[in-house]
Amino acid sequence: MSAYYTINKGTGKTVEFKGLRSQYLTRMVIIVIGMFFFFLILHAVGVPDLISIALVAGSGLGAISHVVSANRKYGQHGLAKLQASRAIPTFILHRKSFRHLLKPEAKRHK
C-alpha cells in the first residue's frame, strides 16, 4: 500500500496580499493598528466622532497610498536597498589636524 503526500509548492515564496509583499505588508499592518489607536486616543480626548473619523481616514488613506506607491516604485527588495544606501557614509571623517598629515613620521628606535 503506497501513500501519496502532496508537496507544498509555495514554501520558498514571499507572503503576498493584494500585491503588497514582504516589508510593505508589515508596514500596512502597522499603519492599520496605528489608525485604530489614533482613533481610540481621539475618542478618549473627547474629539467628536465625525471629526475623529475624518482625521483617521484622511491620515490612514495618505499613509496607505504612500506604501502602495512605494511598493510599485521600489519592488520587493528595493525599499530595503534604499534604506541600506542611506546608511553608507557620503564621506570619511579624518579627525587629525592637517599639519599632522604633512609632517614626516618619526622614526622608531628598535
Side-chain angles (χ1 to χ4, degrees), residues 21-99:
R21 291 186 171 191
S22 60
Q23 71 260 20
Y24 302 106
L25 189 60
T26 57
R27 287 174 186 241
M28 186 70 73
V29 170
I30 290 170
I31 287 171
V32 169
I33 292 171
M35 287 172 26
F36 176 71
F37 283 117
F38 184 50
F39 179 76
L40 287 178
I41 290 169
L42 288 176
H43 186 69
V45 170
V47 178
D49 288 338
L50 290 176
I51 294 173
S52 62
I53 289 171
L55 284 173
V56 169
S59 63
L61 287 175
I64 288 171
S65 66
H66 179 70
V67 169
V68 170
S69 67
N71 184 31
R72 286 186 194 139
K73 183 176 181 180
Y74 297 115
Q76 181 179 357
H77 301 292
L79 193 58
K81 290 179 183 178
L82 180 69
Q83 290 173 344
S85 69
R86 289 181 181 169
I88 297 172
T90 55
F91 56 90
I92 298 173
L93 293 176
H94 187 68
R95 302 270 183 206
K96 294 184 180 179
S97 67
F98 185 70
R99 286 189 291 164

